[in-house]
Amino acid sequence: MALIELKNLTYHYPLTNSPALQDLDLEVQEGEFLAIVGANGAGKSTLCYTISGFIPHFFKGELAGSVSVAGIDPTKAGLGEFVQKVGLVFQNPFNQISGSKFTVYEEIAFGLENLGIDPAEMRERVDEIIRLTRIEDLKDRSPYALSGGQQQRVALASILVMRPQILVLDEPTSQLDPIGSQEVFQVIKDMALQGMTIIMAEHKVEWVAEFADRILALSAGQAIKLGTPREVLGSPELPEHGIGISRYTQVARKALQAGLWPEKRSMPVTLDECVQGFQEIIA
Amino acid sequence: MNIEIKELVFAYPNGVLALEGVTVGIPTGSLVAIVGQNGAGKTTLVKHLNGLLRPTSGLVQIGDWDTRQRSVAELANRIGFIFQNPDDQLFCRTVKEEVQFGPRSLGFENDRIETLVEAALELTELHEKASQNPYDLSPAWRKMVALASILAMDTPIVVMDEPTTGQDAVSIERISRIVQSLHGSGKTVIAITHDIDFCAENFERMIVMRQGMVVLDGPIQEVVAEREMLASTYVEQPQITRLAKRLGFSTIVYKPDDFIRVLHDS
Ligand SMILES: Nc1ncnc2c1ncn2[C@@H]1O[C@H](COP(=O)(O)OP(=O)(O)OP(=O)(O)O)[C@@H](O)[C@H]1O
Ligand SMILES: Nc1ncnc2c1ncn2[C@@H]1O[C@H](COP(=O)(O)OP(=O)(O)OP(=O)(O)O)[C@@H](O)[C@H]1O
Ligand SMILES: [Mg+2]
Ligand SMILES: [Mg+2]
């Protein structure tokens, strides 16, 4: 059985008429890195909330179909059972800070403290994550006296340190500098390779194309494509659904129209694929 | 209206030295993007323009005003400011009231307020949502509301802190149109952004910051060529520039159409 299984999932937020997710079927295997792309309002965050138990425990509303996450049925289990297995990094890092801690270090240790982890192990894990997310300089600072991107790194670190079986990330690099975003993608990819299951909502398709195993494209709450990065991001109907394509795909499309892209080649989604296509043309 | 920043140094109360002597001049009508690594001091720098922060030492002048001698309320006549987190600046019950709030507090006449609010709602495509509560809108649309409320103040200078974060392709195009429209009407537009492709395609000048200092400042085509300097502050070259380089182009390109033109000519 897959680690995450959604069958015929339809969800309405309270007091709303149109569903935020509709007839969704999805299976995610252990250790897989699945990215979710979609226009604003497509349902990316709603799906993140469903997989992490915030729907139906925090957002009430109406959930139909079946959901199974690491063997948990959210309609039967409480949010407490999710916390042990699933970590959610919120879209807005400004919402993730606990508000109860004086330093970044304490903020990151907070979750482990609550689990009653042994202090020596706790220090080791916190130090490791602080290094991985490159916030060594900030550890004695107040979590509020930080730049936007620094706050996002702290929010990410405070969840990574928990080593959840399933890590759900809602646009985790939105405030990060370009090379920093790439580093975070690499850190997360490494965790997937070690067996962590990753679900990530993301607009930065050029990085999703490099790092994700599969991509789910959502539009108005429905799955419109599910497959490898090339199958999904190279598909011609994406822009109709308001989903961004990388400059690599954009430029190859323009080139194709101008007769400057090899006809037999599919649309590139990464820099390497794009280079290969144009090298054929130049040669 | 010209901006002059001279030898600006700023330390936060906890002792963090965020700006270590920044000197930049931004003439009327400029289209400037500020880029650089997290914590470089971008937000701190622009918060000096609207008086939210005051220099520890050095000078910030907006036209003939020295910001040390002006209140935040006065500076709001000259500088419109869209925050990195839109939730920091929304507090009215409806989108329309939110957009009216700025021009009202500047004491504009009713006719002018009406015209400005209409134009702002039009540009941001918020007409249909005018009677909704901003907090019922998605974060992406809340950013549009923040933008509309600043456009309606008709300031000669507009500052946007990370306007494209979390925005989808359609919204980013809308923001591009807004930037071009402001530029077309002669205003100064200053945007902080990590989206280097958006920056290269929509702006004329780029200021690159690292650790409280300006390390590069010039026309886009010159700055995007500086791969190593950009990397030292965690910024990458635009996707098109990287592609052209891999293919061995001798000219620097950063827009898809220019790439196609150079490819065609070669
Ligand atoms: N708390 C809520 N109550 C009612 N409707 C909501 C709520 N949150 C989201 N929605 C609606 O559900 C739909 C899906 O929203 P969701 O936030 O999941 O989209 P998203 O893909 O994450 O968008 P974005 O790119 O803007 O983050 C939208 O129509 C949105 O307006
Ligand atoms: N309220 C504050 N109190 C103390 N230090 C702060 C505060 N806000 C920011 N800083 C620090 O000042 C420096 C500059 O921060 P600033 O917010 O200007 O960076 P930025 O370039 O906008 O970064 P980002 O891209 O992450 O938004 C950073 O080291 C940051 O930690
Ligand atoms: Mg979302
Ligand atoms: Mg900032």
Side-chain angles (χ1 to χ4, degrees), chain A residues 40 153 174-175 177 247 272, chain B residues 38 165-166 168 201 239 246:
Chain A
N40 293 137
R153 285 168 197 271
S174 59
Q175 314 273 345
D177 53 54
R247 298 301 190 281
D272 284 340
Chain B
N38 292 132
T165 47
D168 64 20
E201 288 161 21
Q239 293 175 32
R246 285 275 299 272

Side-chain angles (χ1 to χ4, degrees), chain A residues 141 145-150, chain B residues 12 14 18 38-44 84 194:
Chain A
R141 292 262 203 97
L146 298 176
S147 78
Q150 291 169 340
Chain B
Y12 280 99
N14 64 354
N38 292 132
K42 305 179 296 297
T43 298
T44 306
Q84 191 160 1
H194 291 301

Side-chain angles (χ1 to χ4, degrees), chain B residues 3-226:
Chain B
I3 298 173
E4 282 300 336
I5 300 171
K6 290 205 183 101
E7 297 292 321
L8 175 61
V9 172
F10 180 77
Y12 280 99
N14 64 354
V16 173
L17 187 59
L19 298 174
E20 304 189 17
V22 170
T23 300
V24 265
I26 301 178
T28 307
S30 296
L31 194 50
V32 193
I34 305 177
V35 305
Q37 73 191 113
N38 292 132
K42 305 179 296 297
T43 298
T44 306
L45 177 65
V46 297
K47 279 185 174 169
H48 279 82
L49 300 178
N50 65 348
L52 279 181
L53 297 176
R54 308 290 171 164
T56 302
S57 70
L59 183 72
V60 179
Q61 262 190 313
I62 312 294
D64 54 351
W65 289 359
D66 177 340
T67 60
R68 282 174 302 192
Q69 281 139 27
R70 302 287 161 172
S71 66
V72 173
E74 274 177 287
L75 287 162
N77 286 282
R78 297 190 168 181
I79 306 270
F81 193 98
I82 297 124
F83 286 87
Q84 191 160 1
N85 182 4
D87 298 354
D88 290 344
Q89 67 189 111
L90 301 179
F91 42 84
C92 291
R93 265 186 318 112
T94 70
V95 168
K96 183 140 189 191
E97 285 170 35
E98 190 70 60
V99 181
Q100 287 166 334
F101 181 85
R104 276 206 182 126
S105 58
L106 293 180
F108 294 169
E109 281 173 24
N110 282 340
D111 285 356
R112 182 162 175 223
I113 295 177
E114 189 63 20
T115 319
L116 287 170
V117 168
E118 280 305 302
L121 292 174
E122 184 78 38
L123 263 178
T124 49
E125 299 175 32
L126 275 166
H127 261 300
E128 279 175 22
K129 300 181 170 61
S131 57
Q132 281 178 257
N133 185 323
Y135 281 91
D136 288 341
L137 300 177
S138 69
W141 280 109
R142 283 209 292 281
K143 194 109 189 184
M144 281 300 148
V145 178
L147 192 51
S149 67
I150 295 308
L151 294 178
M153 293 169 79
D154 197 20
T155 51
I157 299 163
V158 176
V159 180
M160 307 177 182
D161 196 350
E162 300 288 354
T164 63
T165 47
Q167 305 284 343
D168 64 20
V170 176
S171 314
I172 292 178
E173 260 174 47
R174 185 186 311 118
I175 295 169
S176 302
R177 285 196 298 276
I178 294 170
V179 167
Q180 298 314 326
S181 145
L182 289 168
H183 182 57
S185 54
K187 295 177 192 272
T188 298
V189 185
I190 302 171
I192 294 177
T193 183
H194 291 301
D195 185 341
I196 194 76
D197 302 295
F198 169 79
C199 161
E201 288 161 21
N202 291 283
F203 291 81
E204 291 173 350
R205 171 177 166 195
M206 196 149 115
I207 295 174
V208 184
M209 293 188 70
R210 185 182 69 207
Q211 293 174 358
M213 283 179 276
V214 170
V215 292
L216 280 175
D217 179 358
I220 297 285
Q221 63 269 26
E222 286 174 21
V223 175
V224 298
E226 302 281 342

Side-chain angles (χ1 to χ4, degrees), chain A residues 106-174:
Chain A
E106 291 168 344
E107 179 69 36
I108 294 168
F110 181 62
L112 293 179
E113 226 171 57
N114 284 346
L115 288 184
I117 303 280
D118 159 70
E121 185 190 341
M122 186 166 91
R123 273 195 299 275
E124 204 172 290
R125 280 167 69 169
V126 173
D127 288 342
E128 182 200 355
I129 288 299
I130 284 183
R131 198 170 33 75
L132 272 180
T133 50
R134 267 203 307 110
I135 50 177
E136 291 102 327
D137 303 352
L138 308 175
K139 61 179 192 288
D140 302 320
R141 292 262 203 97
S142 154
Y144 292 100
L146 298 176
S147 78
Q150 291 169 340
Q151 284 192 16
Q152 189 160 43
R153 285 168 197 271
V154 172
L156 181 68
S158 69
I159 300 297
L160 286 180
V161 79
M162 306 289 288
R163 296 187 187 154
Q165 187 180 4
I166 300 171
L167 177 63
V168 183
L169 305 137
D170 196 354
E171 301 186 33
T173 68
S174 59

Side-chain angles (χ1 to χ4, degrees), chain A residues 78-248:
Chain A
L79 200 51
E81 287 184 50
F82 274 91
V83 173
Q84 310 276 335
K85 295 194 163 154
V86 189
L88 170 65
V89 179
F90 285 95
Q91 179 162 357
N92 185 344
F94 312 110
N95 294 343
Q96 192 116 31
I97 311 282
S98 70
S100 63
K101 294 294 172 190
F102 292 110
T103 70
V104 164
Y105 191 93
E106 291 168 344
E107 179 69 36
I108 294 168
F110 181 62
L112 293 179
E113 226 171 57
N114 284 346
L115 288 184
I117 303 280
D118 159 70
E121 185 190 341
M122 186 166 91
R123 273 195 299 275
E124 204 172 290
R125 280 167 69 169
V126 173
D127 288 342
E128 182 200 355
I129 288 299
I130 284 183
R131 198 170 33 75
L132 272 180
T133 50
R134 267 203 307 110
I135 50 177
E136 291 102 327
D137 303 352
L138 308 175
K139 61 179 192 288
D140 302 320
R141 292 262 203 97
S142 154
Y144 292 100
L146 298 176
S147 78
Q150 291 169 340
Q151 284 192 16
Q152 189 160 43
R153 285 168 197 271
V154 172
L156 181 68
S158 69
I159 300 297
L160 286 180
V161 79
M162 306 289 288
R163 296 187 187 154
Q165 187 180 4
I166 300 171
L167 177 63
V168 183
L169 305 137
D170 196 354
E171 301 186 33
T173 68
S174 59
Q175 314 273 345
L176 298 193
D177 53 54
I179 295 180
S181 303
Q182 198 180 336
E183 285 174 358
V184 163
F185 269 95
Q186 187 62 56
V187 165
I188 289 165
K189 178 77 185 178
D190 291 343
M191 299 207 163
L193 293 173
Q194 288 162 30
M196 197 182 278
T197 305
I198 311 289
I199 308 290
M200 182 198 277
E202 186 57 67
H203 288 293
K204 292 176 184 162
V205 286
E206 75 275 23
W207 295 126
V208 163
E210 300 267 359
F211 289 95
D213 298 317
R214 278 196 306 158
I215 298 180
L216 169 67
L218 290 177
S219 178
Q222 288 179 296
I224 49 164
K225 279 255 174 249
L226 175 63
T228 62
R230 187 179 310 179
E231 283 164 357
V232 175
L233 298 176
S235 120
E237 66 260 45
L238 238 48
E240 292 162 32
H241 295 280
I243 301 173
I245 51 176
S246 72
R247 298 301 190 281
Y248 307 130

